[in-house]
């Protein structure tokens, strides 16, 4: 493994570790005691149109699987493919988890700082930005393509994302 590849791998693992650490220490304790059953979302790109090259088995036993665990703790946000199986697109799963984390963290930080509930557009901007950024890192690391991520990255960038001075955890996640 080349030095650059090892550095990239280390950077990715640090990113994932920080997400899990921040979630467990600062976000999860403030989550409302709500039904945490995952809600079904849209089918992954593999189940919508065959041809995605990245199967979910890439996530098994990898640090990326931690994102799925974090997203599963966010009530009302985690939306797995309704056909979830070992043939799901891994990029779609990572993107979906990052999406849940982006909007879930923004909402949790608003509650923690006793702010008024965030606007739906604000949560959607955080959701899309987190999904785009984290999903792109996963796809690049695994040299794979995903039609769902391609559509998401084709959307215009989200305006007015929170900075670390406004929402420290969400701002740092979105600055990655």
């Amino acid at each position: 493994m080349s030095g650059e590849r090892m550095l990239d791998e280390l950077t990715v693992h640090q990113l994932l570790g920080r997400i899990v650490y921040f979630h467990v220490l600062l976000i999860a304790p403030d989550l409302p005691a709500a039904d945490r059953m995952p809600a079904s979302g849209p089918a992954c790109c593999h189940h919508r149109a065959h041809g995605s090259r990245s199967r979910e088995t890439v996530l098994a036993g990898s640090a990326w699987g931690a994102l799925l665990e974090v997203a599963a703790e966010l009530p009302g946000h985690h939306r797995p493919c309704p056909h979830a199986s070992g043939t799901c697109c891994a990029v779609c799963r990572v993107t979906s988890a990052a999406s849940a984390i982006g909007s879930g963290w923004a909402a949790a930080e608003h509650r923690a700082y006793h702010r008024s509930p965030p606007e739906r557009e604000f949560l959607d901007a955080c959701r899309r930005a987190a999904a785009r950024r984290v999903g792109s890192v996963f796809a690049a690391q695994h040299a794979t393509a995903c039609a769902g991520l391609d559509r998401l990255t084709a959307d215009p960038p989200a305006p007015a994302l929170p900075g670390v001075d406004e929402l420290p955890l969400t701002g740092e996640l979105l600055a990655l």
Side-chain angles (χ1 to χ4, degrees):
M1 184 180 289
S2 74
E4 185 177 311
R5 173 96 170 122
M6 281 180 35
L7 182 61
D8 288 346
E9 190 83 18
L10 179 63
T11 302
V12 167
H13 279 87
Q14 287 175 340
L15 158 76
L16 296 171
R18 289 171 68 186
I19 289 172
V20 171
Y21 175 80
F22 287 149
H23 180 79
V24 170
L25 187 65
L26 303 169
I27 298 292
D30 283 337
L31 290 174
D35 181 17
R36 296 182 188 229
M37 290 297 295
S40 259
C44 72
C45 73
H46 174 72
H47 287 113
R48 281 193 302 264
H50 293 290
S52 177
R53 293 180 288 149
S54 179
R55 303 292 186 254
E56 187 174 303
T57 54
V58 171
L59 298 173
S62 81
W64 286 99
L67 283 181
L68 303 180
E69 293 176 30
V70 167
E73 291 215 347
L74 296 165
H77 291 286
H78 184 59
R79 307 204 189 297
C81 174
H83 309 291
S85 68
T87 62
C88 285
C89 171
V91 178
C92 281
R93 295 290 300 217
V94 166
T95 301
S96 174
S99 172
I101 293 166
S103 62
W105 281 20
E109 281 192 281
H110 267 75
R111 279 191 308 276
Y113 295 130
H114 306 289
R115 294 181 173 184
S116 59
E119 298 288 327
R120 181 181 173 114
E121 294 80 21
F122 177 79
L123 292 177
D124 187 53
C126 292
R127 178 189 65 76
R128 286 185 299 122
R132 180 183 296 120
R133 292 175 182 165
V134 175
S136 295
V137 169
F138 180 83
Q141 184 184 28
H142 293 281
T144 190
C146 170
L149 181 61
D150 291 346
R151 279 190 300 279
L152 183 64
T153 55
D155 289 344
L161 294 173
V164 293
D165 53 331
E166 183 182 353
L167 298 176
L169 300 179
T170 305
E172 187 168 328
L173 172 70
L174 300 179
L176 300 173

PDB file of all heavy atoms in Angstrom, residues 101-138:
ATOM      1  N   ILE A 101     -27.328  11.894   9.593  1.00  0.00           N
ATOM      2  CA  ILE A 101     -26.455  12.525  10.577  1.00  0.00           C
ATOM      3  C   ILE A 101     -26.471  14.043  10.398  1.00  0.00           C
ATOM      4  O   ILE A 101     -26.576  14.788  11.367  1.00  0.00           O
ATOM      5  CB  ILE A 101     -25.027  11.949  10.483  1.00  0.00           C
ATOM      6  CG1 ILE A 101     -25.036  10.486  10.928  1.00  0.00           C
ATOM      7  CG2 ILE A 101     -24.051  12.756  11.330  1.00  0.00           C
ATOM      8  CD1 ILE A 101     -23.777   9.711  10.578  1.00  0.00           C
ATOM      9  N   GLY A 102     -26.387  14.508   9.164  1.00  0.00           N
ATOM     10  CA  GLY A 102     -26.393  15.952   8.909  1.00  0.00           C
ATOM     11  C   GLY A 102     -27.629  16.636   9.454  1.00  0.00           C
ATOM     12  O   GLY A 102     -27.537  17.638  10.177  1.00  0.00           O
ATOM     13  N   SER A 103     -28.797  16.105   9.147  1.00  0.00           N
ATOM     14  CA  SER A 103     -30.026  16.752   9.623  1.00  0.00           C
ATOM     15  C   SER A 103     -30.292  16.445  11.086  1.00  0.00           C
ATOM     16  O   SER A 103     -30.747  17.315  11.838  1.00  0.00           O
ATOM     17  CB  SER A 103     -31.222  16.347   8.754  1.00  0.00           C
ATOM     18  OG  SER A 103     -31.438  14.951   8.824  1.00  0.00           O
ATOM     19  N   GLY A 104     -29.985  15.240  11.518  1.00  0.00           N
ATOM     20  CA  GLY A 104     -30.202  14.862  12.920  1.00  0.00           C
ATOM     21  C   GLY A 104     -29.340  15.657  13.883  1.00  0.00           C
ATOM     22  O   GLY A 104     -29.807  16.099  14.939  1.00  0.00           O
ATOM     23  N   TRP A 105     -28.079  15.851  13.511  1.00  0.00           N
ATOM     24  CA  TRP A 105     -27.192  16.634  14.368  1.00  0.00           C
ATOM     25  C   TRP A 105     -27.622  18.092  14.420  1.00  0.00           C
ATOM     26  O   TRP A 105     -27.595  18.716  15.479  1.00  0.00           O
ATOM     27  CB  TRP A 105     -25.756  16.536  13.877  1.00  0.00           C
ATOM     28  CG  TRP A 105     -25.057  15.275  14.254  1.00  0.00           C
ATOM     29  CD1 TRP A 105     -25.616  14.087  14.633  1.00  0.00           C
ATOM     30  CD2 TRP A 105     -23.650  15.066  14.272  1.00  0.00           C
ATOM     31  NE1 TRP A 105     -24.641  13.162  14.877  1.00  0.00           N
ATOM     32  CE2 TRP A 105     -23.427  13.731  14.660  1.00  0.00           C
ATOM     33  CE3 TRP A 105     -22.566  15.872  13.973  1.00  0.00           C
ATOM     34  CZ2 TRP A 105     -22.143  13.194  14.775  1.00  0.00           C
ATOM     35  CZ3 TRP A 105     -21.284  15.336  14.086  1.00  0.00           C
ATOM     36  CH2 TRP A 105     -21.077  14.006  14.482  1.00  0.00           C
ATOM     37  N   ALA A 106     -28.011  18.655  13.289  1.00  0.00           N
ATOM     38  CA  ALA A 106     -28.445  20.062  13.271  1.00  0.00           C
ATOM     39  C   ALA A 106     -29.656  20.248  14.183  1.00  0.00           C
ATOM     40  O   ALA A 106     -29.715  21.208  14.957  1.00  0.00           O
ATOM     41  CB  ALA A 106     -28.756  20.502  11.843  1.00  0.00           C
ATOM     42  N   ALA A 107     -30.605  19.329  14.110  1.00  0.00           N
ATOM     43  CA  ALA A 107     -31.797  19.420  14.966  1.00  0.00           C
ATOM     44  C   ALA A 107     -31.417  19.248  16.434  1.00  0.00           C
ATOM     45  O   ALA A 107     -31.914  19.981  17.300  1.00  0.00           O
ATOM     46  CB  ALA A 107     -32.817  18.363  14.546  1.00  0.00           C
ATOM     47  N   ALA A 108     -30.538  18.294  16.731  1.00  0.00           N
ATOM     48  CA  ALA A 108     -30.124  18.050  18.119  1.00  0.00           C
ATOM     49  C   ALA A 108     -29.375  19.255  18.696  1.00  0.00           C
ATOM     50  O   ALA A 108     -29.588  19.624  19.856  1.00  0.00           O
ATOM     51  CB  ALA A 108     -29.256  16.801  18.196  1.00  0.00           C
ATOM     52  N   GLU A 109     -28.522  19.869  17.887  1.00  0.00           N
ATOM     53  CA  GLU A 109     -27.799  21.047  18.380  1.00  0.00           C
ATOM     54  C   GLU A 109     -28.744  22.225  18.604  1.00  0.00           C
ATOM     55  O   GLU A 109     -28.558  22.994  19.549  1.00  0.00           O
ATOM     56  CB  GLU A 109     -26.660  21.426  17.428  1.00  0.00           C
ATOM     57  CG  GLU A 109     -25.444  20.546  17.611  1.00  0.00           C
ATOM     58  CD  GLU A 109     -24.226  21.086  16.908  1.00  0.00           C
ATOM     59  OE1 GLU A 109     -24.136  20.901  15.674  1.00  0.00           O
ATOM     60  OE2 GLU A 109     -23.379  21.702  17.590  1.00  0.00           O
ATOM     61  N   HIS A 110     -29.743  22.368  17.769  1.00  0.00           N
ATOM     62  CA  HIS A 110     -30.727  23.426  17.998  1.00  0.00           C
ATOM     63  C   HIS A 110     -31.418  23.227  19.356  1.00  0.00           C
ATOM     64  O   HIS A 110     -31.603  24.186  20.108  1.00  0.00           O
ATOM     65  CB  HIS A 110     -31.768  23.469  16.870  1.00  0.00           C
ATOM     66  CG  HIS A 110     -31.430  24.405  15.777  1.00  0.00           C
ATOM     67  ND1 HIS A 110     -30.464  24.134  14.837  1.00  0.00           N
ATOM     68  CD2 HIS A 110     -31.917  25.627  15.476  1.00  0.00           C
ATOM     69  CE1 HIS A 110     -30.373  25.151  14.002  1.00  0.00           C
ATOM     70  NE2 HIS A 110     -31.253  26.077  14.366  1.00  0.00           N
ATOM     71  N   ARG A 111     -31.811  21.984  19.643  1.00  0.00           N
ATOM     72  CA  ARG A 111     -32.433  21.691  20.938  1.00  0.00           C
ATOM     73  C   ARG A 111     -31.470  21.946  22.085  1.00  0.00           C
ATOM     74  O   ARG A 111     -31.822  22.551  23.093  1.00  0.00           O
ATOM     75  CB  ARG A 111     -32.907  20.234  20.997  1.00  0.00           C
ATOM     76  CG  ARG A 111     -34.224  19.966  20.326  1.00  0.00           C
ATOM     77  CD  ARG A 111     -34.757  18.586  20.641  1.00  0.00           C
ATOM     78  NE  ARG A 111     -33.814  17.513  20.386  1.00  0.00           N
ATOM     79  CZ  ARG A 111     -33.612  16.942  19.204  1.00  0.00           C
ATOM     80  NH1 ARG A 111     -34.304  17.342  18.152  1.00  0.00           N
ATOM     81  NH2 ARG A 111     -32.749  15.966  19.054  1.00  0.00           N
ATOM     82  N   ALA A 112     -30.217  21.481  21.935  1.00  0.00           N
ATOM     83  CA  ALA A 112     -29.225  21.604  23.007  1.00  0.00           C
ATOM     84  C   ALA A 112     -28.919  23.058  23.336  1.00  0.00           C
ATOM     85  O   ALA A 112     -28.653  23.386  24.495  1.00  0.00           O
ATOM     86  CB  ALA A 112     -27.938  20.875  22.614  1.00  0.00           C
ATOM     87  N   TYR A 113     -28.960  23.925  22.335  1.00  0.00           N
ATOM     88  CA  TYR A 113     -28.677  25.349  22.559  1.00  0.00           C
ATOM     89  C   TYR A 113     -29.953  26.157  22.798  1.00  0.00           C
ATOM     90  O   TYR A 113     -29.923  27.379  22.762  1.00  0.00           O
ATOM     91  CB  TYR A 113     -27.885  25.927  21.379  1.00  0.00           C
ATOM     92  CG  TYR A 113     -26.517  25.315  21.239  1.00  0.00           C
ATOM     93  CD1 TYR A 113     -26.071  24.831  20.026  1.00  0.00           C
ATOM     94  CD2 TYR A 113     -25.670  25.201  22.335  1.00  0.00           C
ATOM     95  CE1 TYR A 113     -24.818  24.261  19.895  1.00  0.00           C
ATOM     96  CE2 TYR A 113     -24.419  24.629  22.218  1.00  0.00           C
ATOM     97  CZ  TYR A 113     -23.995  24.162  20.997  1.00  0.00           C
ATOM     98  OH  TYR A 113     -22.760  23.597  20.884  1.00  0.00           O
ATOM     99  N   HIS A 114     -31.074  25.459  23.010  1.00  0.00           N
ATOM    100  CA  HIS A 114     -32.360  26.095  23.318  1.00  0.00           C
ATOM    101  C   HIS A 114     -32.766  27.112  22.266  1.00  0.00           C
ATOM    102  O   HIS A 114     -33.278  28.184  22.572  1.00  0.00           O
ATOM    103  CB  HIS A 114     -32.336  26.736  24.717  1.00  0.00           C
ATOM    104  CG  HIS A 114     -31.934  25.778  25.779  1.00  0.00           C
ATOM    105  ND1 HIS A 114     -32.753  24.747  26.197  1.00  0.00           N
ATOM    106  CD2 HIS A 114     -30.786  25.665  26.489  1.00  0.00           C
ATOM    107  CE1 HIS A 114     -32.131  24.044  27.122  1.00  0.00           C
ATOM    108  NE2 HIS A 114     -30.918  24.577  27.318  1.00  0.00           N
ATOM    109  N   ARG A 115     -32.541  26.742  21.020  1.00  0.00           N
ATOM    110  CA  ARG A 115     -32.954  27.598  19.903  1.00  0.00           C
ATOM    111  C   ARG A 115     -34.319  27.141  19.427  1.00  0.00           C
ATOM    112  O   ARG A 115     -34.758  26.032  19.701  1.00  0.00           O
ATOM    113  CB  ARG A 115     -31.965  27.480  18.749  1.00  0.00           C
ATOM    114  CG  ARG A 115     -30.607  28.012  19.081  1.00  0.00           C
ATOM    115  CD  ARG A 115     -29.712  27.894  17.897  1.00  0.00           C
ATOM    116  NE  ARG A 115     -28.445  28.549  18.160  1.00  0.00           N
ATOM    117  CZ  ARG A 115     -27.501  28.664  17.271  1.00  0.00           C
ATOM    118  NH1 ARG A 115     -27.654  28.181  16.059  1.00  0.00           N
ATOM    119  NH2 ARG A 115     -26.375  29.269  17.580  1.00  0.00           N
ATOM    120  N   SER A 116     -34.960  28.002  18.677  1.00  0.00           N
ATOM    121  CA  SER A 116     -36.234  27.590  18.086  1.00  0.00           C
ATOM    122  C   SER A 116     -35.958  26.462  17.095  1.00  0.00           C
ATOM    123  O   SER A 116     -34.856  26.364  16.546  1.00  0.00           O
ATOM    124  CB  SER A 116     -36.903  28.778  17.399  1.00  0.00           C
ATOM    125  OG  SER A 116     -36.069  29.287  16.389  1.00  0.00           O
ATOM    126  N   PRO A 117     -36.949  25.615  16.876  1.00  0.00           N
ATOM    127  CA  PRO A 117     -36.732  24.500  15.941  1.00  0.00           C
ATOM    128  C   PRO A 117     -36.261  25.013  14.584  1.00  0.00           C
ATOM    129  O   PRO A 117     -36.752  26.036  14.102  1.00  0.00           O
ATOM    130  CB  PRO A 117     -38.110  23.842  15.832  1.00  0.00           C
ATOM    131  CG  PRO A 117     -38.814  24.237  17.090  1.00  0.00           C
ATOM    132  CD  PRO A 117     -38.293  25.608  17.441  1.00  0.00           C
ATOM    133  N   PRO A 118     -35.317  24.304  13.961  1.00  0.00           N
ATOM    134  CA  PRO A 118     -34.798  24.750  12.663  1.00  0.00           C
ATOM    135  C   PRO A 118     -35.848  24.606  11.564  1.00  0.00           C
ATOM    136  O   PRO A 118     -36.720  23.741  11.625  1.00  0.00           O
ATOM    137  CB  PRO A 118     -33.614  23.820  12.412  1.00  0.00           C
ATOM    138  CG  PRO A 118     -33.895  22.612  13.229  1.00  0.00           C
ATOM    139  CD  PRO A 118     -34.691  23.064  14.410  1.00  0.00           C
ATOM    140  N   GLU A 119     -35.726  25.465  10.574  1.00  0.00           N
ATOM    141  CA  GLU A 119     -36.601  25.398   9.404  1.00  0.00           C
ATOM    142  C   GLU A 119     -36.327  24.121   8.632  1.00  0.00           C
ATOM    143  O   GLU A 119     -35.201  23.624   8.605  1.00  0.00           O
ATOM    144  CB  GLU A 119     -36.355  26.604   8.488  1.00  0.00           C
ATOM    145  CG  GLU A 119     -36.655  27.940   9.121  1.00  0.00           C
ATOM    146  CD  GLU A 119     -38.144  28.158   9.291  1.00  0.00           C
ATOM    147  OE1 GLU A 119     -38.928  27.678   8.454  1.00  0.00           O
ATOM    148  OE2 GLU A 119     -38.514  28.819  10.285  1.00  0.00           O
ATOM    149  N   ARG A 120     -37.332  23.619   7.982  1.00  0.00           N
ATOM    150  CA  ARG A 120     -37.193  22.400   7.182  1.00  0.00           C
ATOM    151  C   ARG A 120     -36.126  22.571   6.097  1.00  0.00           C
ATOM    152  O   ARG A 120     -35.351  21.661   5.822  1.00  0.00           O
ATOM    153  CB  ARG A 120     -38.543  22.048   6.560  1.00  0.00           C
ATOM    154  CG  ARG A 120     -38.518  20.794   5.730  1.00  0.00           C
ATOM    155  CD  ARG A 120     -39.897  20.542   5.137  1.00  0.00           C
ATOM    156  NE  ARG A 120     -39.845  19.451   4.209  1.00  0.00           N
ATOM    157  CZ  ARG A 120     -40.461  18.291   4.395  1.00  0.00           C
ATOM    158  NH1 ARG A 120     -41.170  18.093   5.471  1.00  0.00           N
ATOM    159  NH2 ARG A 120     -40.358  17.340   3.501  1.00  0.00           N
ATOM    160  N   GLU A 121     -36.078  23.751   5.473  1.00  0.00           N
ATOM    161  CA  GLU A 121     -35.097  24.018   4.421  1.00  0.00           C
ATOM    162  C   GLU A 121     -33.671  23.952   4.961  1.00  0.00           C
ATOM    163  O   GLU A 121     -32.758  23.489   4.293  1.00  0.00           O
ATOM    164  CB  GLU A 121     -35.347  25.382   3.765  1.00  0.00           C
ATOM    165  CG  GLU A 121     -36.633  25.476   2.991  1.00  0.00           C
ATOM    166  CD  GLU A 121     -37.854  25.706   3.872  1.00  0.00           C
ATOM    167  OE1 GLU A 121     -37.697  26.177   5.026  1.00  0.00           O
ATOM    168  OE2 GLU A 121     -38.965  25.399   3.412  1.00  0.00           O
ATOM    169  N   PHE A 122     -33.494  24.440   6.194  1.00  0.00           N
ATOM    170  CA  PHE A 122     -32.180  24.406   6.836  1.00  0.00           C
ATOM    171  C   PHE A 122     -31.748  22.958   7.073  1.00  0.00           C
ATOM    172  O   PHE A 122     -30.613  22.584   6.770  1.00  0.00           O
ATOM    173  CB  PHE A 122     -32.232  25.183   8.158  1.00  0.00           C
ATOM    174  CG  PHE A 122     -30.950  25.142   8.931  1.00  0.00           C
ATOM    175  CD1 PHE A 122     -29.887  25.960   8.576  1.00  0.00           C
ATOM    176  CD2 PHE A 122     -30.802  24.287  10.014  1.00  0.00           C
ATOM    177  CE1 PHE A 122     -28.695  25.930   9.294  1.00  0.00           C
ATOM    178  CE2 PHE A 122     -29.620  24.249  10.734  1.00  0.00           C
ATOM    179  CZ  PHE A 122     -28.561  25.074  10.370  1.00  0.00           C
ATOM    180  N   LEU A 123     -32.649  22.133   7.607  1.00  0.00           N
ATOM    181  CA  LEU A 123     -32.329  20.724   7.842  1.00  0.00           C
ATOM    182  C   LEU A 123     -32.046  20.003   6.525  1.00  0.00           C
ATOM    183  O   LEU A 123     -31.148  19.160   6.448  1.00  0.00           O
ATOM    184  CB  LEU A 123     -33.459  20.031   8.606  1.00  0.00           C
ATOM    185  CG  LEU A 123     -33.661  20.474  10.049  1.00  0.00           C
ATOM    186  CD1 LEU A 123     -34.860  19.753  10.662  1.00  0.00           C
ATOM    187  CD2 LEU A 123     -32.403  20.252  10.868  1.00  0.00           C
ATOM    188  N   ASP A 124     -32.820  20.350   5.491  1.00  0.00           N
ATOM    189  CA  ASP A 124     -32.601  19.730   4.183  1.00  0.00           C
ATOM    190  C   ASP A 124     -31.236  20.116   3.620  1.00  0.00           C
ATOM    191  O   ASP A 124     -30.539  19.283   3.040  1.00  0.00           O
ATOM    192  CB  ASP A 124     -33.713  20.138   3.213  1.00  0.00           C
ATOM    193  CG  ASP A 124     -33.612  19.374   1.901  1.00  0.00           C
ATOM    194  OD1 ASP A 124     -33.561  18.129   1.943  1.00  0.00           O
ATOM    195  OD2 ASP A 124     -33.566  20.031   0.840  1.00  0.00           O
ATOM    196  N   ALA A 125     -30.816  21.362   3.798  1.00  0.00           N
ATOM    197  CA  ALA A 125     -29.500  21.799   3.327  1.00  0.00           C
ATOM    198  C   ALA A 125     -28.386  21.049   4.060  1.00  0.00           C
ATOM    199  O   ALA A 125     -27.413  20.611   3.441  1.00  0.00           O
ATOM    200  CB  ALA A 125     -29.343  23.305   3.521  1.00  0.00           C
ATOM    201  N   CYS A 126     -28.537  20.876   5.368  1.00  0.00           N
ATOM    202  CA  CYS A 126     -27.547  20.120   6.149  1.00  0.00           C
ATOM    203  C   CYS A 126     -27.522  18.656   5.711  1.00  0.00           C
ATOM    204  O   CYS A 126     -26.456  18.052   5.576  1.00  0.00           O
ATOM    205  CB  CYS A 126     -27.854  20.218   7.647  1.00  0.00           C
ATOM    206  SG  CYS A 126     -27.622  21.865   8.335  1.00  0.00           S
ATOM    207  N   ARG A 127     -28.702  18.102   5.484  1.00  0.00           N
ATOM    208  CA  ARG A 127     -28.823  16.708   5.046  1.00  0.00           C
ATOM    209  C   ARG A 127     -28.118  16.495   3.715  1.00  0.00           C
ATOM    210  O   ARG A 127     -27.297  15.590   3.573  1.00  0.00           O
ATOM    211  CB  ARG A 127     -30.311  16.350   4.917  1.00  0.00           C
ATOM    212  CG  ARG A 127     -30.585  14.945   4.414  1.00  0.00           C
ATOM    213  CD  ARG A 127     -32.067  14.755   4.104  1.00  0.00           C
ATOM    214  NE  ARG A 127     -32.546  15.578   3.002  1.00  0.00           N
ATOM    215  CZ  ARG A 127     -32.308  15.338   1.713  1.00  0.00           C
ATOM    216  NH1 ARG A 127     -31.578  14.311   1.356  1.00  0.00           N
ATOM    217  NH2 ARG A 127     -32.787  16.126   0.772  1.00  0.00           N
ATOM    218  N   ARG A 128     -28.413  17.342   2.745  1.00  0.00           N
ATOM    219  CA  ARG A 128     -27.821  17.185   1.414  1.00  0.00           C
ATOM    220  C   ARG A 128     -26.308  17.415   1.421  1.00  0.00           C
ATOM    221  O   ARG A 128     -25.560  16.704   0.765  1.00  0.00           O
ATOM    222  CB  ARG A 128     -28.491  18.118   0.407  1.00  0.00           C
ATOM    223  CG  ARG A 128     -29.886  17.650   0.012  1.00  0.00           C
ATOM    224  CD  ARG A 128     -30.514  18.494  -1.075  1.00  0.00           C
ATOM    225  NE  ARG A 128     -30.674  19.887  -0.671  1.00  0.00           N
ATOM    226  CZ  ARG A 128     -30.135  20.916  -1.325  1.00  0.00           C
ATOM    227  NH1 ARG A 128     -29.440  20.742  -2.405  1.00  0.00           N
ATOM    228  NH2 ARG A 128     -30.329  22.156  -0.881  1.00  0.00           N
ATOM    229  N   ALA A 129     -25.854  18.413   2.173  1.00  0.00           N
ATOM    230  CA  ALA A 129     -24.417  18.706   2.216  1.00  0.00           C
ATOM    231  C   ALA A 129     -23.643  17.554   2.851  1.00  0.00           C
ATOM    232  O   ALA A 129     -22.602  17.145   2.337  1.00  0.00           O
ATOM    233  CB  ALA A 129     -24.160  20.002   2.976  1.00  0.00           C
ATOM    234  N   ALA A 130     -24.136  17.011   3.952  1.00  0.00           N
ATOM    235  CA  ALA A 130     -23.455  15.888   4.605  1.00  0.00           C
ATOM    236  C   ALA A 130     -23.451  14.666   3.688  1.00  0.00           C
ATOM    237  O   ALA A 130     -22.426  13.991   3.548  1.00  0.00           O
ATOM    238  CB  ALA A 130     -24.127  15.562   5.939  1.00  0.00           C
ATOM    239  N   ALA A 131     -24.581  14.391   3.059  1.00  0.00           N
ATOM    240  CA  ALA A 131     -24.668  13.239   2.155  1.00  0.00           C
ATOM    241  C   ALA A 131     -23.702  13.386   0.990  1.00  0.00           C
ATOM    242  O   ALA A 131     -22.990  12.439   0.625  1.00  0.00           O
ATOM    243  CB  ALA A 131     -26.096  13.094   1.638  1.00  0.00           C
ATOM    244  N   ARG A 132     -23.662  14.570   0.409  1.00  0.00           N
ATOM    245  CA  ARG A 132     -22.791  14.823  -0.743  1.00  0.00           C
ATOM    246  C   ARG A 132     -21.326  14.653  -0.356  1.00  0.00           C
ATOM    247  O   ARG A 132     -20.566  13.986  -1.037  1.00  0.00           O
ATOM    248  CB  ARG A 132     -23.048  16.238  -1.264  1.00  0.00           C
ATOM    249  CG  ARG A 132     -22.214  16.622  -2.461  1.00  0.00           C
ATOM    250  CD  ARG A 132     -22.458  18.073  -2.893  1.00  0.00           C
ATOM    251  NE  ARG A 132     -23.830  18.273  -3.342  1.00  0.00           N
ATOM    252  CZ  ARG A 132     -24.688  19.121  -2.779  1.00  0.00           C
ATOM    253  NH1 ARG A 132     -24.341  19.860  -1.755  1.00  0.00           N
ATOM    254  NH2 ARG A 132     -25.904  19.245  -3.264  1.00  0.00           N
ATOM    255  N   ARG A 133     -20.924  15.244   0.741  1.00  0.00           N
ATOM    256  CA  ARG A 133     -19.505  15.238   1.119  1.00  0.00           C
ATOM    257  C   ARG A 133     -19.033  13.874   1.591  1.00  0.00           C
ATOM    258  O   ARG A 133     -18.007  13.380   1.134  1.00  0.00           O
ATOM    259  CB  ARG A 133     -19.262  16.313   2.168  1.00  0.00           C
ATOM    260  CG  ARG A 133     -19.434  17.690   1.548  1.00  0.00           C
ATOM    261  CD  ARG A 133     -19.339  18.803   2.523  1.00  0.00           C
ATOM    262  NE  ARG A 133     -19.578  20.065   1.804  1.00  0.00           N
ATOM    263  CZ  ARG A 133     -19.835  21.189   2.385  1.00  0.00           C
ATOM    264  NH1 ARG A 133     -19.870  21.273   3.694  1.00  0.00           N
ATOM    265  NH2 ARG A 133     -20.048  22.273   1.668  1.00  0.00           N
ATOM    266  N   VAL A 134     -19.765  13.254   2.491  1.00  0.00           N
ATOM    267  CA  VAL A 134     -19.336  11.958   3.017  1.00  0.00           C
ATOM    268  C   VAL A 134     -19.492  10.874   1.948  1.00  0.00           C
ATOM    269  O   VAL A 134     -18.604  10.021   1.790  1.00  0.00           O
ATOM    270  CB  VAL A 134     -20.104  11.608   4.309  1.00  0.00           C
ATOM    271  CG1 VAL A 134     -19.750  10.216   4.801  1.00  0.00           C
ATOM    272  CG2 VAL A 134     -19.812  12.642   5.399  1.00  0.00           C
ATOM    273  N   GLY A 135     -20.579  10.902   1.196  1.00  0.00           N
ATOM    274  CA  GLY A 135     -20.770   9.924   0.124  1.00  0.00           C
ATOM    275  C   GLY A 135     -19.687   9.999  -0.932  1.00  0.00           C
ATOM    276  O   GLY A 135     -19.215   8.971  -1.438  1.00  0.00           O
ATOM    277  N   SER A 136     -19.253  11.214  -1.260  1.00  0.00           N
ATOM    278  CA  SER A 136     -18.180  11.382  -2.255  1.00  0.00           C
ATOM    279  C   SER A 136     -16.860  10.814  -1.764  1.00  0.00           C
ATOM    280  O   SER A 136     -16.104  10.228  -2.542  1.00  0.00           O
ATOM    281  CB  SER A 136     -18.018  12.863  -2.607  1.00  0.00           C
ATOM    282  OG  SER A 136     -19.178  13.336  -3.239  1.00  0.00           O
ATOM    283  N   VAL A 137     -16.582  10.978  -0.476  1.00  0.00           N
ATOM    284  CA  VAL A 137     -15.348  10.419   0.092  1.00  0.00           C
ATOM    285  C   VAL A 137     -15.387   8.893   0.003  1.00  0.00           C
ATOM    286  O   VAL A 137     -14.417   8.257  -0.406  1.00  0.00           O
ATOM    287  CB  VAL A 137     -15.147  10.879   1.558  1.00  0.00           C
ATOM    288  CG1 VAL A 137     -14.031  10.102   2.230  1.00  0.00           C
ATOM    289  CG2 VAL A 137     -14.861  12.373   1.607  1.00  0.00           C
ATOM    290  N   PHE A 138     -16.523   8.298   0.362  1.00  0.00           N
ATOM    291  CA  PHE A 138     -16.656   6.837   0.300  1.00  0.00           C
ATOM    292  C   PHE A 138     -16.493   6.350  -1.138  1.00  0.00           C
ATOM    293  O   PHE A 138     -15.754   5.397  -1.391  1.00  0.00           O
ATOM    294  CB  PHE A 138     -18.012   6.397   0.853  1.00  0.00           C
ATOM    295  CG  PHE A 138     -18.207   4.911   0.803  1.00  0.00           C
ATOM    296  CD1 PHE A 138     -17.693   4.097   1.796  1.00  0.00           C
ATOM    297  CD2 PHE A 138     -18.898   4.328  -0.245  1.00  0.00           C
ATOM    298  CE1 PHE A 138     -17.864   2.716   1.737  1.00  0.00           C
ATOM    299  CE2 PHE A 138     -19.081   2.956  -0.309  1.00  0.00           C
ATOM    300  CZ  PHE A 138     -18.557   2.146   0.688  1.00  0.00           C
TER     301      PHE A 138
END
